[in-house]
């Protein structure tokens, strides 16, 4: 088996762990990315029958409408347009092992570079072998628009760069800017994440400091919007310095 440096360690775990689970008799597993917040009971999602399908999956949300259907699927050589987000996978372990999905995915990733890495590869390999959820109820990512938000959200997926544990979004909340943002539904869930973080075993862990010039700019904007002008100026100067050294 080959390896590829742009595939994350987490991706390897996700792709290979089903083989170990199969050896010890586990038949079903729900994989969740670490940037997911469960806000309602997801038992029904877990209990859904998979029959001879390899996995149950959810539609991928993107900032550009129709991107997956009109471009990505065609580029990947897929026959249909059901492109899923691999951050939530309800896996049928025996079927996964039967089709040797993990090893095939790693081999395919090693042969060429994909824009969405192992997610693209899993979409190629699992086409026709998944239960596909068209709604965003069990995977409401940050690119979902207000008009697309389901009546009940079960899992919020903090996709993109603005993770809730980063300092640059530590005070992100509903406000004036929400009036002009077609994704404003998400702000309240940043607050929910912070609420649970404060009562978790990790409550003493500080927010992550910016790691690049973009995050320093986000932090500066956040401080300015919340009236913390001195901190905003300091963060903006950091942004200019990082961008200069880029």
């Amino acid at each position: 088996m080959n390896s590829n440096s742009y595939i994350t360690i987490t991706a390897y775990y996700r792709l290979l762990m089903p083989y170990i689970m199969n050896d010890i008799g586990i038949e079903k597993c729900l994989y969740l990315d670490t940037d997911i917040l469960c806000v309602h009971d997801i038992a029904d999602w877990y209990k859904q029958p998979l029959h001879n399908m390899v996995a149950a999956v959810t539609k991928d949300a993107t900032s550009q409408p129709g991107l997956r259907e009109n471009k990505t699927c065609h580029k990947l050589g897929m026959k249909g347009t059901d492109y899923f987000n691999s951050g939530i996978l309800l896996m049928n372990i025996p079927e996964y092992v039967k089709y040797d999905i993990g090893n095939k995915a790693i081999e395919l990733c090693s042969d060429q570079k994909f824009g969405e890495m192992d997610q693209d590869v899993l979409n190629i390999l699992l086409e026709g072998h998944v239960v596909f959820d068209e709604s965003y109820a069990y995977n409401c990512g940050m690119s979902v628009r207000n008009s697309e938000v389901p009546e009940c959200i079960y899992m919020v997926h903090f996709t993109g760069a603005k993770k809730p544990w980063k300092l640059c979004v530590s005070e992100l909340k509903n406000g004036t800017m929400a009036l002009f943002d077609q994704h404003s539904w998400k702000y309240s869930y940043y607050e929910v994440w912070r609420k649970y973080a404060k009562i978790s075993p990790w409550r003493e862990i500080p927010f992550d400091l910016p790691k690049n010039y973009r995050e320093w700019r986000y932090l500066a904007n956040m401080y300015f919007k919340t009236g913390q002008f001195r901190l905003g100026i300091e963060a903006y100067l950091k942004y200019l310095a990082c961008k200069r050294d880029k």
Side-chain angles (χ1 to χ4, degrees), residues 17 26 45 52 85 96 98 113 139 178 182 197 218 238:
M17 189 58 69
I26 296 175
W45 173 257
N52 62 339
N85 180 281
Y96 185 98
K98 173 184 173 182
K113 187 172 182 178
N139 194 348
Q182 60 181 333
Y218 294 151
K238 286 277 192 179

Side-chain angles (χ1 to χ4, degrees), residues 210-226:
K211 293 181 172 60
N212 54 57
Y213 75 92
R214 291 187 180 87
E215 292 187 354
W216 281 112
R217 186 186 65 200
Y218 294 151
L219 182 60
N221 290 340
M222 185 194 73
Y223 282 141
F224 287 135
K225 288 172 181 175
T226 54

Side-chain angles (χ1 to χ4, degrees), residues 13 24 26 44 63 69 72 106 131 140 187 194 213 230-231 233 239 245:
Y13 288 154
I24 59 177
I26 296 175
D44 287 343
S63 57
E69 296 87 345
T72 305
I106 292 173
V131 179
C140 208
Y187 296 139
R194 291 192 290 267
Y213 75 92
R230 182 182 62 80
L231 292 175
I233 292 171
Y239 154 68
D245 298 336

Side-chain angles (χ1 to χ4, degrees), residues 94-106:
E95 291 295 307
Y96 185 98
V97 173
K98 173 184 173 182
Y99 290 102
D100 198 17
I101 299 299
N103 287 317
K104 287 179 180 177
I106 292 173

